[in-house]
Amino acid sequence: MNKVDMDNFKNQLQQMRSDLDDLEATYKASAATVVLDQTSVGRLSRMDAMQGQQMALEAERRRKEKLVQIKSALNRIERGTFGDCVVCEEEIAIGRLTVNPAVTRCVNCTE
Ligand SMILES: [Zn+2]
């Protein structure tokens, strides 16, 4: 991979990382607003609140997972192994990295 492509992916990954960092604040704010008041909130809205909390937890789990993948891609850029498949060590197609720069396997090694 040439340096220009590598720099582009690096910028893209750093942008993705900062977007995900921003989302953490949103998650914390929404988690804080879910207060289950037994006396003033009806049964249905309590269920809504719990469901919303569940969805927020799931979104937070996915966010952390993505963040790990992005940080590991940035580490691979530093080490100079970015763009190589972790399984067969062949170069991953640029088109595939453009869709998701955090991808670690070439199309042949994808489960
Ligand atoms: Zn491979």
Side-chain angles (χ1 to χ4, degrees):
M1 186 183 305
N2 65 46
K3 195 180 176 319
V4 176
D5 283 340
M6 189 80 96
D7 283 346
N8 281 336
F9 285 125
K10 188 175 178 177
N11 288 336
Q12 205 179 329
L13 284 160
Q14 282 169 339
Q15 183 58 50
M16 285 162 79
R17 186 177 58 184
S18 95
D19 286 349
L20 286 172
D21 283 342
D22 290 347
L23 276 180
E24 186 178 15
T26 314
Y27 165 72
K28 285 194 170 148
S30 78
T33 55
V34 179
V35 178
L36 301 179
D37 186 337
Q38 302 278 340
T39 56
S40 65
V41 183
R43 186 164 182 273
L44 266 182
S45 51
R46 266 209 311 280
M47 281 170 65
D48 280 350
M50 284 162 74
Q51 204 170 34
Q53 196 176 31
Q54 216 45 48
M55 281 164 62
L57 281 173
E58 176 59 19
E60 175 63 3
R61 192 186 62 75
R62 280 198 305 267
R63 188 187 70 82
K64 283 187 173 151
E65 207 172 84
K66 267 191 218 161
L67 207 51
V68 168
Q69 290 167 357
I70 288 165
K71 282 179 180 166
S72 128
L74 285 165
N75 281 338
R76 289 196 299 278
I77 288 179
E78 297 307 319
R79 286 202 306 266
T81 58
F82 178 80
D84 297 341
C85 171
V86 293
V87 178
C88 70
E89 298 181 355
E90 292 291 319
E91 278 193 21
I92 301 171
I94 293 283
R96 185 169 164 73
L97 287 165
T98 307
V99 175
N100 178 13
V103 78
T104 56
R105 291 168 188 224
C106 74
V107 70
N108 292 327
C109 299
T110 300
E111 288 162 316

